[in-house]
């Protein structure tokens, strides 16, 4: 990098005393970001999630005109008028079961009819906080679908089901299973279609339904319990990673001007996510063409890490870096992997 130094020295006042060449690969840059957790309990947040829930519910029911029953939530969204329309859920078991049954970092929306006959929507933002939005005080004829579930994943995929009543939802779910007799004489029910991806989501909705019927611990005020849940969920997201093609391609685009320059990694870097991404490219490059797409890569990673969601910590990065730096031609391998990933097509 002599040329940039020479160019700098041509600037008036620049000389050997105030211009020094350094090796950026030996520099460690640390950036700290302060989070204002009060935003999760702010009026602007409540009105935003109310707008999302209301528009989503109307979309699922093909509502395009104004309906009188929605006047209360409309006033809250537009003017901030109204109490207890939006609350935050504090049931830890709901957060954990939702996390087990949905994809890492996804948004989840579902609607239900509460015990008091009100129509409600639950919104989980990235799995961090779950909000309960009261759409209307009663079920209305204009909106037939009231048992709705949708997940929006990080890779822009959508999974959804919707029914008019919980009874019809339950009946349809039960029809998806067939009874078989086991060797010990016991009977068990198994899915008729093992490829039906909706079953796990429907199972989550069905088993969580008792919570929706009056056992949700909701508040519109900050408290220690909910704060601890939110903090833990943020920590989990920041320390975990899930591999999606859009993210991999964006990383390649940001870190590689072309695929001919030598790559020098910084062994002192504390950017764990970046180092993990370099390891992914290293893994693809080392496969000698055996990893042909994202599906192949995820299968390899699931074997290596025993999970689709990978928790990134100092110990793991130290181990992965050891594998990279112990390979003499790691730069060529990473470049090969980056070029391969960049050529992959979106599914």
């Amino acid at each position: 990098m002599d040329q940039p130094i020479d160019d700098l020295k041509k600037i008036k006042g620049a000389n050997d005393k105030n211009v020094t060449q350094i090796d950026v690969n030996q520099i460690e840059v640390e950036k700290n970001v302060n989070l204002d957790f009060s935003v999760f309990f702010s009026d602007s947040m409540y009105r935003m999630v109310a707008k999302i829930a209301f528009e989503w519910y109307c979309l699922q029911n093909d509502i395009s005109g104004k309906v009188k029953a929605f006047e209360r939530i409309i006033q809250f969204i537009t003017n901030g008028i109204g109490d207890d329309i939006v609350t935050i859920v504090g049931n830890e078991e709901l957060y954990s079961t939702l996390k087990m049954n949905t994809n890492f970092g996804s948004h989840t929306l579902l609607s239900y009819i509460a015990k008091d006959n009100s129509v409600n929507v639950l919104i989980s933002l990235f799995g961090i906080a779950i909000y309960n939005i009261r759409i209307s005080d009663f079920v209305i004829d204009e909106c037939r679908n009231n048992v709705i579930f949708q997940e929006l994943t990080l890779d822009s995929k959508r999974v959804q089901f919707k029914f008019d009543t919980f009874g019809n939802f339950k009946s349809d779910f039960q029809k998806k299973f067939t009874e078989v007799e086991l060797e010990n004489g016991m009977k068990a029910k198994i899915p008729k279609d093992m490829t039906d991806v909706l079953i796990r989501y429907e199972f989550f909705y069905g088993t969580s339904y008792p919570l929706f019927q009056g056992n949700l611990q909701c508040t519109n005020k900050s408290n220690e319990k909910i704060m601890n849940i939110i903090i833990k969920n943020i920590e989990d997201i920041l320390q975990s990673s899930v591999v999606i093609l859009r993210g991999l391609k964006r990383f390649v685009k940001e870190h590689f001007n072309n695929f001919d320059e030598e790559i020098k990694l910084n062994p002192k870097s504390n950017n764990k996510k970046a180092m993990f991404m370099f390891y992914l490219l290293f893994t693809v490059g080392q496969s000698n063409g055996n990893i042909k797409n994202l599906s192949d890569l995820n299968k390899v990673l699931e074997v290596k890490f025993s999970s689709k969601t990978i928790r990134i910590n100092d110990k793991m990065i130290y181990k992965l870096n050891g594998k990279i730096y112990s390979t003499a031609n790691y730069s060529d391998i990473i470049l090969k992997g980056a070029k391969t990933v960049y050529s992959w097509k979106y599914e």
Side-chain angles (χ1 to χ4, degrees), residues 5 30 53 58 62 66 102 110 177 179 189 212-213 219 231 236 251 284 335:
I5 287 292
E30 183 174 326
C58 288
D62 298 319
K66 191 172 183 179
T102 56
L110 65 86
F177 294 84
E179 193 172 75
K189 288 188 176 183
F212 307 156
Q213 296 304 294
T219 179
I231 291 170
D236 286 343
F251 182 83
V284 173
L335 285 168

Side-chain angles (χ1 to χ4, degrees), residues 5-24:
I5 287 292
D6 291 340
D7 290 342
L8 285 172
K9 289 181 177 178
K10 293 177 182 178
I11 299 174
K12 184 178 180 179
N15 52 55
D16 290 334
K17 292 183 179 179
N18 55 25
V19 177
T20 305
Q21 184 172 352
I22 60 174
D23 183 357
V24 295

Side-chain angles (χ1 to χ4, degrees), residues 18-48:
N18 55 25
V19 177
T20 305
Q21 184 172 352
I22 60 174
D23 183 357
V24 295
N25 291 302
Q26 300 300 318
I27 296 176
E28 182 174 347
V29 178
E30 183 174 326
K31 182 178 181 180
N32 294 315
V33 178
N34 294 321
L35 294 177
D36 182 6
F37 291 100
S38 66
V39 70
F40 290 98
F41 305 90
S42 65
D43 288 340
S44 57
M45 176 66 84
Y46 289 167
R47 291 171 67 183
M48 182 190 75

Side-chain angles (χ1 to χ4, degrees), residues 168-186:
N168 287 336
F169 158 79
K170 186 177 179 181
S171 176
D172 184 82
F173 181 66
Q174 290 173 341
K175 290 176 183 177
K176 292 189 172 187
F177 294 84
T178 185
E179 193 172 75
V180 296
E181 189 169 334
L182 305 177
E183 293 181 358
N184 58 5
M186 300 290 288

Side-chain angles (χ1 to χ4, degrees), residues 22-215:
I22 60 174
D23 183 357
V24 295
N25 291 302
Q26 300 300 318
I27 296 176
E28 182 174 347
V29 178
E30 183 174 326
K31 182 178 181 180
N32 294 315
V33 178
N34 294 321
L35 294 177
D36 182 6
F37 291 100
S38 66
V39 70
F40 290 98
F41 305 90
S42 65
D43 288 340
S44 57
M45 176 66 84
Y46 289 167
R47 291 171 67 183
M48 182 190 75
V49 295
K51 185 175 187 294
I52 293 171
F54 176 60
E55 292 182 350
W56 176 78
Y57 179 77
C58 288
L59 177 65
Q60 300 301 323
N61 282 283
D62 298 319
I63 299 296
S64 56
K66 191 172 183 179
V67 178
K68 187 176 181 180
F70 295 145
E71 186 63 30
R72 188 164 174 251
I73 191 169
I74 291 173
Q75 281 296 318
F76 179 73
I77 293 169
T78 56
N79 301 312
I81 299 171
D83 297 320
D84 295 329
I85 291 176
V86 178
T87 52
I88 299 184
V89 178
N91 302 71
E92 292 185 55
E93 63 270 31
L94 184 59
Y95 284 89
S96 61
T97 54
L98 185 65
K99 185 180 294 185
M100 285 188 295
N101 289 284
T102 56
N103 292 285
F104 173 80
S106 64
H107 299 307
T108 306
L109 302 94
L110 65 86
S111 69
Y112 70 93
I113 300 173
K115 203 170 183 178
D116 63 359
N117 205 42
S118 64
V119 179
N120 297 262
V121 168
L122 289 178
I123 294 182
S124 171
L125 299 177
F126 298 106
I128 294 175
I130 301 176
Y131 293 90
N132 188 90
I133 299 92
R134 191 178 179 97
I135 300 294
S136 67
D137 294 330
F138 49 87
V139 178
I140 60 175
D141 294 335
E142 292 91 337
C143 295
R144 177 176 176 80
N145 300 312
N146 288 297
V147 176
I148 320 169
F149 178 96
Q150 187 174 68
E151 181 189 26
L152 310 173
T153 65
L154 290 175
D155 54 358
S156 302
K157 294 179 180 178
R158 299 188 180 200
V159 180
Q160 176 179 306
F161 64 79
K162 57 183 175 182
F163 295 86
D164 52 354
T165 66
F166 181 73
N168 287 336
F169 158 79
K170 186 177 179 181
S171 176
D172 184 82
F173 181 66
Q174 290 173 341
K175 290 176 183 177
K176 292 189 172 187
F177 294 84
T178 185
E179 193 172 75
V180 296
E181 189 169 334
L182 305 177
E183 293 181 358
N184 58 5
M186 300 290 288
K187 292 182 178 180
K189 288 188 176 183
I190 62 171
K192 294 177 182 178
D193 181 4
M194 300 299 289
T195 64
D196 187 350
V197 297
L198 285 178
I199 286 181
R200 66 167 175 160
Y201 298 104
E202 292 172 335
F203 180 78
F204 160 76
Y205 188 101
T207 54
S208 301
Y209 189 72
L211 275 178
F212 307 156
Q213 296 304 294
N215 294 318

